[in-house]
Amino acid sequence: MIQSFKMALKSISGNKMRSFLTMLGIIIGVMALVILVSLVNGTTSSVTDTINSLGSNMVGVTVSNDYGNPVRKEDLDEWVKRPNIGYAAPIASGSMTGKYNSTSKTVTVYGTTEQYFTIKKSELSIGRFLKSSDYDNHTNVCVISSETAEKLVGYTSCLNEEITLNGSKFKIVGVLKENKDASALAAIMGGGNLEAYIPYSSHVRLSTDTSNYVTSFYLSAAEGFTTDSVKTVINQIMLERFNYDEDAFNVQSTDTLEDAMGNITAILSILLGGIAGISLVVGGIGIMNIMLVTVTERTREIGIRKAIGASRGAILRQFLIEAVVLCMIGCAIGIFLSWSFLRLVTVIVSSLDLSFGMNGTVVIVAVSFCFFIGVVFGLYPANKAAKMKPIDALHYSE
Amino acid sequence: MISLKDICKTYRIGTEVVHALDHASLEVEDGEFVSIIGPSGSGKSTLMNIIGCLDIADSGEYLLDGIPIEDYSENELATVRNKKIGFVFQSFNLINKLTAYENVELPLIYQKLKKSERKARVRAALEKVDLVKRAEHFPTELSGGQQQRVAIARAIATHPSLILADEPTGNLDSKTSKEIMDIFHDLNSQGNTIVLITHDRNVAKQAKRSVNILDGRVSEATDDSIV
């Protein structure tokens, strides 16, 4: 066995250029596999981080059938007192025409309370959030996104300016900090709308679709509690409230979004990995091709070996090991080059806060796949060599 | 040692049937030095292939060391070639990628001997042909005579029952031919059984006993009847 291994190395190093060209197919295949899958994984973790920054530990509830027992803001205030639940905010949204002087834009207006900003982990660039007194007094004040400030008002430090939403005047009391990740994601998801936040009670007056019966609200987990526990608690509350009808409401958390994202990237990994796998198979065919040439070239050597007592198995082993060794060297070079490439990419895009580590699983997959390919595509040429009759092989003239 | 009885072998070349061996019989005793002489096309290569277990007869009986060969499978024949027969070919048949040492070592590797044992045997074999100094040379760096001596070392390294030489001097000049024949004489005097196949009567004469082969038939030869 060790002898066959040495012979294989000798034969491979005896024809360096040809061996390298043969290996090239495997090298490229392995690189494609390892790099693509690692890139997908690296991007995934970055996207997952972005989703988390949209507000993790957040549970969204929508009510579609209230069975005559609608949720009110007072109920939310009651539920917040439960240990698991940190904050609760009603949310109502509607598209409205926003006006400032002569500028007119469509603005998505959210009616909510002060707790919303805590749940969403929003940050202010200037001014203040909504206050509970704003809700109580139906104040016509609004907090707007920095994009709204730029596009509707024209400048971001626009505190105390007044904009008109569906004909009613609202005073700007705060401008939110731009969330780069979130706005990028919003742009991908077809959003990118201008946003304004007003007290829920004001939204009720402004929009006919919104009433004091809250049909949609957000909850966050209290310190030390998981989103899942909040989901369980609110699910129980809702079931009790709505005659144990599971279809009357819907509880969703950002975990669901993460799961969906995970599914997408898993599919993407398999898809890209599959394509890379095809190139590995093509590389394997290259190995088979060159092994067939080698076997023909070395017919006389095979004859000599057989004449002095090499069994079929010994010849088969020799050529099979040669094919597998060729594959595995290619695999090792491919993995090393992939590693170097990924390090390089990580350095180049370091400003984007992305990190592309080599995925251990994909390396194991690549190595075992290469081994498999070496055996499968080495078997036919090796068998051809082993089957040769010693006299025919001995008298073979080159 | 060798007992061939009524060996027949036919080949089909295109539509023509060639009787390479026609009821050939031959006995070789332990320690003998026998030359088989015949012109080309007489069937001597076929005889050599059958004696060397590279080929199997169509009919007849072949006993090597008392063991009937015809029932053997391909792998069993490989073992017989490995352990009982040492080949010396006209064209040397060394593997050019391996050094003289490695060429001699090769049959011992197939015997799965330990490294230390292999080393001792290779050294002894190379000493017998006086090539220890050239052990690390590749065949292409050696003269024809030296290459044939490496081939002889490879043949004797396994301590075979029979050394089978097929025109061993065919590619060599007369001076080196004599050196090679001297080695065969030495080996024979040390008790090795040698069967030498040739078309050269001067070479054949040096053997203790000569056998003629003509049109696939084997007959004992006196000095006068050597063709």
Side-chain angles (χ1 to χ4, degrees), chain B residues 159-182:
Chain B
H159 305 326
S161 316
L162 170 70
I163 295 169
L164 194 57
D166 182 13
E167 304 263 16
T169 56
N171 283 359
L172 303 173
D173 60 54
S174 54
K175 187 170 163 281
T176 31
S177 290
K178 193 180 173 303
E179 284 171 25
I180 297 296
M181 288 312 293
D182 287 345

PDB file of all heavy atoms in Angstrom, chain B residues 159-182:
ATOM      1  N   HIS B 159      15.013 -15.938  -5.730  1.00  0.00           N
ATOM      2  CA  HIS B 159      15.428 -17.334  -5.612  1.00  0.00           C
ATOM      3  C   HIS B 159      14.445 -18.250  -6.329  1.00  0.00           C
ATOM      4  O   HIS B 159      13.827 -19.124  -5.702  1.00  0.00           O
ATOM      5  CB  HIS B 159      15.523 -17.766  -4.124  1.00  0.00           C
ATOM      6  CG  HIS B 159      16.421 -16.879  -3.318  1.00  0.00           C
ATOM      7  ND1 HIS B 159      17.557 -16.295  -3.842  1.00  0.00           N
ATOM      8  CD2 HIS B 159      16.350 -16.469  -2.024  1.00  0.00           C
ATOM      9  CE1 HIS B 159      18.141 -15.572  -2.905  1.00  0.00           C
ATOM     10  NE2 HIS B 159      17.422 -15.641  -1.792  1.00  0.00           N
ATOM     11  N   PRO B 160      14.284 -18.083  -7.650  1.00  0.00           N
ATOM     12  CA  PRO B 160      13.279 -18.878  -8.358  1.00  0.00           C
ATOM     13  C   PRO B 160      13.741 -20.307  -8.579  1.00  0.00           C
ATOM     14  O   PRO B 160      14.936 -20.602  -8.509  1.00  0.00           O
ATOM     15  CB  PRO B 160      13.154 -18.139  -9.696  1.00  0.00           C
ATOM     16  CG  PRO B 160      14.496 -17.539  -9.907  1.00  0.00           C
ATOM     17  CD  PRO B 160      15.039 -17.203  -8.546  1.00  0.00           C
ATOM     18  N   SER B 161      12.781 -21.201  -8.847  1.00  0.00           N
ATOM     19  CA  SER B 161      13.142 -22.586  -9.167  1.00  0.00           C
ATOM     20  C   SER B 161      13.771 -22.622 -10.546  1.00  0.00           C
ATOM     21  O   SER B 161      14.577 -23.492 -10.848  1.00  0.00           O
ATOM     22  CB  SER B 161      11.895 -23.469  -9.195  1.00  0.00           C
ATOM     23  OG  SER B 161      11.068 -23.176  -8.111  1.00  0.00           O
ATOM     24  N   LEU B 162      13.361 -21.696 -11.409  1.00  0.00           N
ATOM     25  CA  LEU B 162      13.749 -21.759 -12.811  1.00  0.00           C
ATOM     26  C   LEU B 162      14.084 -20.359 -13.316  1.00  0.00           C
ATOM     27  O   LEU B 162      13.340 -19.409 -13.069  1.00  0.00           O
ATOM     28  CB  LEU B 162      12.561 -22.316 -13.616  1.00  0.00           C
ATOM     29  CG  LEU B 162      12.640 -22.259 -15.133  1.00  0.00           C
ATOM     30  CD1 LEU B 162      13.684 -23.225 -15.656  1.00  0.00           C
ATOM     31  CD2 LEU B 162      11.278 -22.570 -15.727  1.00  0.00           C
ATOM     32  N   ILE B 163      15.237 -20.267 -14.022  1.00  0.00           N
ATOM     33  CA  ILE B 163      15.545 -19.010 -14.696  1.00  0.00           C
ATOM     34  C   ILE B 163      15.255 -19.211 -16.166  1.00  0.00           C
ATOM     35  O   ILE B 163      15.765 -20.150 -16.790  1.00  0.00           O
ATOM     36  CB  ILE B 163      17.013 -18.600 -14.471  1.00  0.00           C
ATOM     37  CG1 ILE B 163      17.244 -18.306 -12.982  1.00  0.00           C
ATOM     38  CG2 ILE B 163      17.360 -17.362 -15.308  1.00  0.00           C
ATOM     39  CD1 ILE B 163      18.699 -18.153 -12.617  1.00  0.00           C
ATOM     40  N   LEU B 164      14.391 -18.383 -16.703  1.00  0.00           N
ATOM     41  CA  LEU B 164      13.948 -18.543 -18.072  1.00  0.00           C
ATOM     42  C   LEU B 164      14.477 -17.359 -18.870  1.00  0.00           C
ATOM     43  O   LEU B 164      14.110 -16.215 -18.622  1.00  0.00           O
ATOM     44  CB  LEU B 164      12.417 -18.556 -18.078  1.00  0.00           C
ATOM     45  CG  LEU B 164      11.702 -19.024 -19.327  1.00  0.00           C
ATOM     46  CD1 LEU B 164      12.140 -20.431 -19.720  1.00  0.00           C
ATOM     47  CD2 LEU B 164      10.203 -19.001 -19.084  1.00  0.00           C
ATOM     48  N   ALA B 165      15.390 -17.647 -19.800  1.00  0.00           N
ATOM     49  CA  ALA B 165      16.019 -16.564 -20.544  1.00  0.00           C
ATOM     50  C   ALA B 165      15.618 -16.652 -22.013  1.00  0.00           C
ATOM     51  O   ALA B 165      15.797 -17.692 -22.655  1.00  0.00           O
ATOM     52  CB  ALA B 165      17.530 -16.641 -20.404  1.00  0.00           C
ATOM     53  N   ASP B 166      15.055 -15.582 -22.517  1.00  0.00           N
ATOM     54  CA  ASP B 166      14.583 -15.554 -23.907  1.00  0.00           C
ATOM     55  C   ASP B 166      15.534 -14.695 -24.732  1.00  0.00           C
ATOM     56  O   ASP B 166      15.509 -13.470 -24.630  1.00  0.00           O
ATOM     57  CB  ASP B 166      13.153 -14.987 -23.920  1.00  0.00           C
ATOM     58  CG  ASP B 166      12.572 -14.969 -25.318  1.00  0.00           C
ATOM     59  OD1 ASP B 166      13.162 -15.607 -26.219  1.00  0.00           O
ATOM     60  OD2 ASP B 166      11.531 -14.311 -25.508  1.00  0.00           O
ATOM     61  N   GLU B 167      16.402 -15.328 -25.519  1.00  0.00           N
ATOM     62  CA  GLU B 167      17.388 -14.615 -26.326  1.00  0.00           C
ATOM     63  C   GLU B 167      18.119 -13.550 -25.504  1.00  0.00           C
ATOM     64  O   GLU B 167      18.152 -12.391 -25.890  1.00  0.00           O
ATOM     65  CB  GLU B 167      16.705 -13.922 -27.518  1.00  0.00           C
ATOM     66  CG  GLU B 167      15.899 -14.851 -28.390  1.00  0.00           C
ATOM     67  CD  GLU B 167      16.673 -15.325 -29.619  1.00  0.00           C
ATOM     68  OE1 GLU B 167      17.912 -15.170 -29.638  1.00  0.00           O
ATOM     69  OE2 GLU B 167      16.031 -15.846 -30.530  1.00  0.00           O
ATOM     70  N   PRO B 168      18.711 -13.930 -24.379  1.00  0.00           N
ATOM     71  CA  PRO B 168      19.278 -12.907 -23.477  1.00  0.00           C
ATOM     72  C   PRO B 168      20.420 -12.132 -24.115  1.00  0.00           C
ATOM     73  O   PRO B 168      20.736 -11.026 -23.688  1.00  0.00           O
ATOM     74  CB  PRO B 168      19.771 -13.715 -22.272  1.00  0.00           C
ATOM     75  CG  PRO B 168      19.992 -15.095 -22.800  1.00  0.00           C
ATOM     76  CD  PRO B 168      18.960 -15.299 -23.864  1.00  0.00           C
ATOM     77  N   THR B 169      21.050 -12.723 -25.140  1.00  0.00           N
ATOM     78  CA  THR B 169      22.205 -12.048 -25.742  1.00  0.00           C
ATOM     79  C   THR B 169      21.849 -11.446 -27.099  1.00  0.00           C
ATOM     80  O   THR B 169      22.715 -10.935 -27.806  1.00  0.00           O
ATOM     81  CB  THR B 169      23.368 -13.038 -25.911  1.00  0.00           C
ATOM     82  OG1 THR B 169      22.897 -14.132 -26.694  1.00  0.00           O
ATOM     83  CG2 THR B 169      23.847 -13.548 -24.573  1.00  0.00           C
ATOM     84  N   GLY B 170      20.560 -11.532 -27.452  1.00  0.00           N
ATOM     85  CA  GLY B 170      20.127 -11.125 -28.790  1.00  0.00           C
ATOM     86  C   GLY B 170      20.450  -9.682 -29.132  1.00  0.00           C
ATOM     87  O   GLY B 170      20.690  -9.346 -30.290  1.00  0.00           O
ATOM     88  N   ASN B 171      20.461  -8.809 -28.125  1.00  0.00           N
ATOM     89  CA  ASN B 171      20.693  -7.394 -28.385  1.00  0.00           C
ATOM     90  C   ASN B 171      22.098  -6.941 -27.998  1.00  0.00           C
ATOM     91  O   ASN B 171      22.354  -5.755 -27.881  1.00  0.00           O
ATOM     92  CB  ASN B 171      19.680  -6.532 -27.621  1.00  0.00           C
ATOM     93  CG  ASN B 171      18.322  -6.538 -28.292  1.00  0.00           C
ATOM     94  OD1 ASN B 171      18.151  -7.172 -29.332  1.00  0.00           O
ATOM     95  ND2 ASN B 171      17.374  -5.840 -27.708  1.00  0.00           N
ATOM     96  N   LEU B 172      22.977  -7.908 -27.747  1.00  0.00           N
ATOM     97  CA  LEU B 172      24.296  -7.540 -27.214  1.00  0.00           C
ATOM     98  C   LEU B 172      25.405  -7.941 -28.180  1.00  0.00           C
ATOM     99  O   LEU B 172      25.259  -8.885 -28.965  1.00  0.00           O
ATOM    100  CB  LEU B 172      24.513  -8.226 -25.865  1.00  0.00           C
ATOM    101  CG  LEU B 172      23.453  -7.928 -24.797  1.00  0.00           C
ATOM    102  CD1 LEU B 172      23.685  -8.805 -23.576  1.00  0.00           C
ATOM    103  CD2 LEU B 172      23.462  -6.453 -24.416  1.00  0.00           C
ATOM    104  N   ASP B 173      26.532  -7.237 -28.095  1.00  0.00           N
ATOM    105  CA  ASP B 173      27.683  -7.622 -28.929  1.00  0.00           C
ATOM    106  C   ASP B 173      28.342  -8.873 -28.350  1.00  0.00           C
ATOM    107  O   ASP B 173      28.026  -9.297 -27.239  1.00  0.00           O
ATOM    108  CB  ASP B 173      28.673  -6.455 -29.030  1.00  0.00           C
ATOM    109  CG  ASP B 173      29.196  -6.047 -27.679  1.00  0.00           C
ATOM    110  OD1 ASP B 173      29.713  -6.913 -26.951  1.00  0.00           O
ATOM    111  OD2 ASP B 173      29.065  -4.855 -27.319  1.00  0.00           O
ATOM    112  N   SER B 174      29.277  -9.433 -29.097  1.00  0.00           N
ATOM    113  CA  SER B 174      29.790 -10.754 -28.723  1.00  0.00           C
ATOM    114  C   SER B 174      30.544 -10.720 -27.390  1.00  0.00           C
ATOM    115  O   SER B 174      30.478 -11.659 -26.608  1.00  0.00           O
ATOM    116  CB  SER B 174      30.692 -11.293 -29.834  1.00  0.00           C
ATOM    117  OG  SER B 174      31.696 -10.339 -30.128  1.00  0.00           O
ATOM    118  N   LYS B 175      31.206  -9.599 -27.107  1.00  0.00           N
ATOM    119  CA  LYS B 175      31.983  -9.548 -25.863  1.00  0.00           C
ATOM    120  C   LYS B 175      31.047  -9.545 -24.643  1.00  0.00           C
ATOM    121  O   LYS B 175      31.231 -10.329 -23.711  1.00  0.00           O
ATOM    122  CB  LYS B 175      32.855  -8.287 -25.862  1.00  0.00           C
ATOM    123  CG  LYS B 175      33.820  -8.237 -24.700  1.00  0.00           C
ATOM    124  CD  LYS B 175      34.819  -7.093 -24.877  1.00  0.00           C
ATOM    125  CE  LYS B 175      35.516  -6.770 -23.577  1.00  0.00           C
ATOM    126  NZ  LYS B 175      34.709  -5.960 -22.676  1.00  0.00           N
ATOM    127  N   THR B 176      30.064  -8.664 -24.678  1.00  0.00           N
ATOM    128  CA  THR B 176      29.111  -8.629 -23.557  1.00  0.00           C
ATOM    129  C   THR B 176      28.288  -9.898 -23.518  1.00  0.00           C
ATOM    130  O   THR B 176      27.922 -10.376 -22.436  1.00  0.00           O
ATOM    131  CB  THR B 176      28.172  -7.411 -23.640  1.00  0.00           C
ATOM    132  OG1 THR B 176      27.958  -7.094 -25.005  1.00  0.00           O
ATOM    133  CG2 THR B 176      28.741  -6.222 -22.925  1.00  0.00           C
ATOM    134  N   SER B 177      28.012 -10.485 -24.700  1.00  0.00           N
ATOM    135  CA  SER B 177      27.276 -11.750 -24.729  1.00  0.00           C
ATOM    136  C   SER B 177      28.021 -12.788 -23.909  1.00  0.00           C
ATOM    137  O   SER B 177      27.415 -13.529 -23.128  1.00  0.00           O
ATOM    138  CB  SER B 177      27.145 -12.266 -26.169  1.00  0.00           C
ATOM    139  OG  SER B 177      26.279 -11.443 -26.893  1.00  0.00           O
ATOM    140  N   LYS B 178      29.336 -12.785 -24.082  1.00  0.00           N
ATOM    141  CA  LYS B 178      30.120 -13.781 -23.362  1.00  0.00           C
ATOM    142  C   LYS B 178      30.033 -13.549 -21.848  1.00  0.00           C
ATOM    143  O   LYS B 178      29.863 -14.496 -21.077  1.00  0.00           O
ATOM    144  CB  LYS B 178      31.584 -13.714 -23.830  1.00  0.00           C
ATOM    145  CG  LYS B 178      32.375 -14.904 -23.354  1.00  0.00           C
ATOM    146  CD  LYS B 178      33.812 -14.841 -23.801  1.00  0.00           C
ATOM    147  CE  LYS B 178      34.612 -15.977 -23.148  1.00  0.00           C
ATOM    148  NZ  LYS B 178      34.533 -15.932 -21.689  1.00  0.00           N
ATOM    149  N   GLU B 179      30.102 -12.253 -21.449  1.00  0.00           N
ATOM    150  CA  GLU B 179      29.968 -11.938 -20.017  1.00  0.00           C
ATOM    151  C   GLU B 179      28.650 -12.481 -19.460  1.00  0.00           C
ATOM    152  O   GLU B 179      28.607 -13.084 -18.387  1.00  0.00           O
ATOM    153  CB  GLU B 179      29.975 -10.416 -19.809  1.00  0.00           C
ATOM    154  CG  GLU B 179      31.348  -9.757 -19.920  1.00  0.00           C
ATOM    155  CD  GLU B 179      31.243  -8.240 -19.917  1.00  0.00           C
ATOM    156  OE1 GLU B 179      30.246  -7.708 -19.371  1.00  0.00           O
ATOM    157  OE2 GLU B 179      32.156  -7.602 -20.472  1.00  0.00           O
ATOM    158  N   ILE B 180      27.567 -12.224 -20.224  1.00  0.00           N
ATOM    159  CA  ILE B 180      26.249 -12.660 -19.765  1.00  0.00           C
ATOM    160  C   ILE B 180      26.195 -14.184 -19.663  1.00  0.00           C
ATOM    161  O   ILE B 180      25.714 -14.748 -18.670  1.00  0.00           O
ATOM    162  CB  ILE B 180      25.151 -12.152 -20.737  1.00  0.00           C
ATOM    163  CG1 ILE B 180      25.111 -10.611 -20.746  1.00  0.00           C
ATOM    164  CG2 ILE B 180      23.781 -12.719 -20.376  1.00  0.00           C
ATOM    165  CD1 ILE B 180      24.720  -9.963 -19.450  1.00  0.00           C
ATOM    166  N   MET B 181      26.742 -14.859 -20.691  1.00  0.00           N
ATOM    167  CA  MET B 181      26.735 -16.321 -20.667  1.00  0.00           C
ATOM    168  C   MET B 181      27.552 -16.850 -19.498  1.00  0.00           C
ATOM    169  O   MET B 181      27.172 -17.849 -18.876  1.00  0.00           O
ATOM    170  CB  MET B 181      27.277 -16.879 -22.000  1.00  0.00           C
ATOM    171  CG  MET B 181      26.327 -16.706 -23.183  1.00  0.00           C
ATOM    172  SD  MET B 181      24.634 -17.218 -22.838  1.00  0.00           S
ATOM    173  CE  MET B 181      24.862 -18.979 -22.640  1.00  0.00           C
ATOM    174  N   ASP B 182      28.649 -16.141 -19.184  1.00  0.00           N
ATOM    175  CA  ASP B 182      29.460 -16.550 -18.027  1.00  0.00           C
ATOM    176  C   ASP B 182      28.634 -16.495 -16.745  1.00  0.00           C
ATOM    177  O   ASP B 182      28.728 -17.375 -15.881  1.00  0.00           O
ATOM    178  CB  ASP B 182      30.694 -15.653 -17.896  1.00  0.00           C
ATOM    179  CG  ASP B 182      31.726 -15.957 -18.979  1.00  0.00           C
ATOM    180  OD1 ASP B 182      31.595 -17.036 -19.618  1.00  0.00           O
ATOM    181  OD2 ASP B 182      32.626 -15.124 -19.206  1.00  0.00           O
TER     182      ASP B 182
END
